[in-house]
Amino acid sequence: MSIDYKKAGVDVAAGDALVDWLQTDKSRLPHADRVLSGIGGFASLFRIQFPEMKKPCLITCTDGVGTKVKIASRFKRFEGVGQDLVAMCVNDLICTGGRPLMFLDYYAVGKLDLDAAKAFLESVKKACHASDCALVGGETAEMPGVYQPGDFDCAGFAVGIVDEEATLGPRHVQAGDVLIGASSSGFHSNGYSLLRKVFENDMDDWADELLKPTALYVSLMKDLMAENLVVAAAHITGGGIDNIPRVLPKGLNAEIRPWPLPAPFREVQKRTGLSDLEMMKTLNCGIGFVLVARSGRASEIHHLIREHGFESFDLGTVVPGADASAEADVVLKSAERTR
């Protein structure tokens, strides 16, 4: 009996066809003039020219979509997962005050389905467009035996740029600063090990909600930075409001007032019995991005958030902690939430 790579489960021709499809796509991705070589080679070249910056620094980050891929696989819906992947990376990246430049993806399957892969990558491309980010390459891996039929996984890698003197973060934050939230588009891409259990018996009814792609905050952040409106920013991912202390200095806390939970999150709370605090420390609960700013700039920030199509929330303030040397934390201003 003869055996070759294809009989072993890896179809090289299908992978080549996917690369050909990407290379022949006529849509022009952001920063195309800076990409010397991109998709199809062994590596990508990107021309670096930032004369407007005194101390340009590269920003790098990586992330995945988590077990949300199991729901996408089950319902064979891949059109939003690519945006999830881009968003999970670029939303982290912009918390530095910088902007995305380029993105690469890693897409792994048991057996390559060209239609599914194209739907996923089309979503990646659209999200890169929306984030002003060049898609410079990636990797498609066919791994029979590692992934079961129909399963896939993905990872993303983003590179950005920021002037060192313009970076955001804890060094700028002070007591009295306000915390302003921009709404999420839903569950985003965190907590799905819990959500899959919560909705396992009626997931067909919840598939649309569970597969909503993660919101992109790049354009909003670009406008906020242009007006010097924020001093720090936090992407609300796994751990919920516990992401906020990551951008606060020692000795200061985030005093948060609870906000009304959107209906899907209320359903999760009803089914799980989680307290308000447990919910806010597990899921984004309707807040996808938090901005830290001087109190006098709050109205301008709320206006820009709404202009970009998000709801805005007064979440609270930055307050001194009991110990000036203690790590930053979150404290609730009230134990009750307005229903």
Side-chain angles (χ1 to χ4, degrees):
M1 182 184 70
S2 64
I3 188 168
D4 59 17
Y5 210 8
K6 186 171 183 178
K7 289 178 181 177
V10 178
D11 190 344
V12 176
D16 289 342
L18 185 62
V19 173
D20 290 342
W21 172 75
L22 281 167
Q23 288 178 319
T24 55
D25 178 34
K26 299 301 182 184
S27 61
R28 185 174 175 84
L29 283 164
H31 308 299
D33 57 323
R34 294 190 176 191
V35 180
L36 276 69
S37 65
I39 295 167
F42 287 103
S44 301
L45 296 176
F46 190 91
R47 185 182 293 111
I48 300 269
Q49 292 176 328
F50 303 102
E52 73 279 11
M53 294 186 181
K54 294 180 180 179
K55 296 180 180 179
C57 296
L58 289 177
I59 315 163
T60 59
C61 59
T62 183
D63 210 335
V65 177
T67 60
K68 189 173 184 175
V69 298
K70 295 290 289 183
I71 301 176
S73 294
R74 172 173 169 173
F75 292 97
K76 299 187 184 304
R77 288 172 53 178
F78 310 97
E79 64 276 4
V81 185
Q83 177 170 321
D84 283 309
L85 186 62
V86 175
M88 293 304 292
C89 292
V90 298
N91 289 345
D92 279 356
L93 187 152
I94 58 177
C95 291
T96 65
R99 64 180 190 268
L101 290 176
M102 62 188 101
F103 186 82
L104 299 97
D105 70 275
Y106 176 81
Y107 179 79
V109 295
K111 180 174 178 57
L112 185 59
D113 179 324
L114 279 178
D115 289 337
K118 287 179 180 180
F120 168 79
L121 287 170
E122 189 64 39
S123 179
V124 168
K125 285 161 50 183
K126 288 180 179 178
C128 284
H129 268 291
S131 303
D132 194 28
C133 185
L135 177 61
V136 295
E139 173 71 7
T140 301
E142 201 169 12
M143 302 167 65
V146 175
Y147 296 97
Q148 298 305 308
D151 282 351
F152 79 102
D153 200 4
C154 55
F157 312 88
V159 177
I161 192 76
V162 66
D163 194 328
E164 183 179 342
E165 297 181 1
T167 54
L168 303 180
R171 65 193 177 98
H172 300 296
V173 179
Q174 60 191 37
D177 285 346
V178 294
L179 302 164
I180 300 172
S183 60
S184 69
S185 55
F187 293 114
H188 283 185
S189 302
N190 297 104
Y192 276 75
S193 294
L194 171 64
L195 295 172
R196 286 188 299 115
K197 290 185 179 295
V198 169
F199 296 110
E200 63 183 344
N201 294 323
D202 58 350
M203 194 170 288
D204 287 10
D205 298 330
W206 286 90
D208 287 347
E209 186 65 43
L210 291 166
L211 288 171
K212 282 182 179 178
T214 305
L216 295 158
Y217 299 100
V218 177
S219 180
L220 167 63
M221 196 63 177
K222 180 181 178 181
D223 285 352
L224 291 165
M225 290 297 296
E227 299 295 328
N228 295 312
L229 289 175
V230 296
V231 297
H235 183 201
I236 307 304
T237 56
I241 58 173
D242 277 341
N243 285 283
I244 299 174
R246 297 168 67 179
V247 299
L248 303 181
K250 288 182 178 181
L252 295 181
N253 292 330
E255 187 179 65
I256 299 291
R257 64 175 65 91
W259 61 94
L261 284 182
F265 295 92
R266 291 202 305 271
E267 184 66 21
V268 172
Q269 187 173 37
K270 176 183 174 183
R271 295 187 184 197
T272 61
L274 291 173
S275 69
D276 283 357
L277 184 59
E278 289 170 330
M279 283 290 293
M280 289 190 289
K281 287 178 173 280
T282 304
L283 303 169
N284 70 60
C285 292
I287 305 291
F289 209 71
V290 173
L291 305 160
V292 187
R294 306 293 185 240
S295 59
R297 311 304 298 272
S299 61
E300 297 170 81
I301 294 170
H302 282 292
H303 174 74
L304 268 177
I305 290 173
R306 292 190 292 268
E307 219 175 45
H308 280 265
F310 301 104
E311 291 183 68
S312 63
F313 299 84
D314 282 311
L315 296 180
T317 55
V318 177
V319 298
D323 183 351
S325 63
E327 296 293 335
D329 201 358
V330 174
V331 293
L332 289 186
K333 191 170 185 178
S334 170
E336 296 299 324
R337 172 185 285 112
T338 303
R339 298 286 179 179

